Amino acid sequence: FKLGMAPFHMWLPDAYEGASTPITGFMGSAIKLAGFGMALRLWWGMLCPISTHWVSILGSLAVLTMFVGNLGALKQRNLKRLFAYSSVSHAGYLVLGLISVSKTGTQINSQNLFYYLVIYGFMFIGVFGILSVIEKSAGSSDISSIEGIGFSHPVLGLCLTVLVLSAAGIPPTAGFLGKYLLFSDAIRSGHVSLVVLAVLSSVVGVFYYLRVLVAIYMTEPSQRTSLVIKDRAVFFAVLACALCMIIFAIFPNKLGI
């Protein structure tokens, strides 16, 4: 329920849309990361002796979660709801990584899962940092509020583009490397069919991410909105998150991978 896995995900879109944008960014990053940290300790700790039973169950739920998240996002115009469903799909990828963790004695090899969690956290904080600025200026988080932002505010538009490309898993961003590492672990663990379905789900997800990019660069804004960034710390935090998507893709060893 806290991880946002289908069919226990229905609270996420309403909660993300109803909460203030900074709180939504916190909910989607820190809380989800803490949840997966707990899941790793629980399933590969106390429940490890019966892993043959729950791995197949979680594998099925992971695939269901990926498709529910990506298909649910296709019809969304509200960006907070869109990224809420995106968060659901990422939970599916992370659970696939969770069941692919290898354990030797008391040592758990969860480096690749850790890498994806850190990348996801920076990505989500960056996206909702930008959405908070847009929502304060435009009074809305509808996709129309970012139309033409790539030209009216080039730096914010570029940061949002990098973050969205990373969320879609498109190279050369860290999101692509994170998915590659998780899928490689899953293949080594024998979950080839799950990886095939995960790749198909990712292809579906690219469509709604491209809608965001089209709005940023290829759509004439229906109304002119002047974005005012009152807190410079927000701007530098967003810029840092976008840079992390490139830096950690080129130097994954900075995160111990």
Side-chain angles (χ1 to χ4, degrees):
F1 180 83
K2 295 297 287 183
L3 299 182
M5 290 177 62
F8 314 104
H9 68 288
M10 293 307 295
W11 65 278
L12 269 170
D14 292 333
Y16 280 28
E17 183 182 13
S20 66
T21 307
I23 296 300
T24 304
F26 177 78
M27 289 169 59
S29 55
I31 293 178
K32 191 174 286 283
L33 267 63
F36 271 99
M38 178 66 181
L40 185 67
R41 294 290 301 275
L42 176 67
W43 282 321
W44 288 106
M46 184 177 71
L47 300 180
C48 187
I50 56 169
S51 60
T52 53
H53 298 283
W54 55 256
V55 163
S56 59
I57 297 173
L58 287 182
S60 301
L61 287 179
V63 172
L64 176 65
T65 302
M66 295 171 204
F67 279 98
V68 165
N70 284 324
L71 291 173
L74 291 176
K75 295 177 63 177
Q76 304 302 321
R77 285 195 56 83
N78 184 291
L79 290 171
K80 291 169 77 173
R81 292 185 71 88
L82 185 149
F83 282 103
Y85 278 105
S86 169
S87 171
V88 173
S89 68
H90 280 283
Y93 303 131
L94 284 162
V95 171
L96 178 59
L98 192 64
I99 66 174
S100 305
V101 167
S102 58
K103 184 171 183 179
T104 306
T106 59
Q107 296 298 315
I108 300 175
N109 181 19
S110 57
Q111 282 189 340
N112 293 340
L113 181 65
F114 170 75
Y115 178 84
Y116 197 100
L117 281 169
V118 172
I119 294 305
Y120 172 84
F122 279 120
M123 178 199 73
F124 213 82
I125 290 172
V127 166
F128 277 85
I130 295 173
L131 290 185
S132 68
V133 173
I134 293 171
E135 196 173 41
K136 285 181 181 178
S137 301
S140 169
S141 56
D142 189 83
I143 197 169
S144 60
S145 62
I146 62 170
E147 291 175 348
I149 192 178
F151 299 103
S152 58
H153 300 85
V155 178
L156 276 185
L158 181 60
C159 288
L160 184 56
T161 298
V162 171
L163 293 165
V164 168
L165 288 175
S166 186
I170 295 176
T173 61
F176 167 78
L177 182 59
K179 279 186 179 178
Y180 171 79
L181 292 172
L182 284 190
F183 292 171
S184 298
D185 274 354
I187 290 173
R188 281 194 292 269
S189 300
H191 305 305
V192 178
S193 59
L194 297 184
V195 172
V196 172
L197 292 171
V199 171
L200 292 175
S201 170
S202 297
V203 172
V204 174
V206 168
F207 178 78
Y208 63 83
Y209 290 122
L210 288 178
R211 281 178 54 211
V212 176
L213 298 182
V214 167
I216 294 172
Y217 288 108
M218 303 177 191
T219 306
E220 187 69 23
S222 53
Q223 59 180 9
R224 296 288 177 180
T225 303
S226 177
L227 296 185
V228 180
I229 306 176
K230 296 181 180 179
D231 191 349
R232 307 303 294 181
V234 174
F235 174 78
F236 287 113
V238 166
L239 187 60
C241 289
L243 287 173
C244 285
M245 299 301 104
I246 303 299
I247 294 172
F248 290 144
I250 300 172
F251 305 107
N253 59 309
K254 297 295 182 183
L255 290 177
I257 304 301

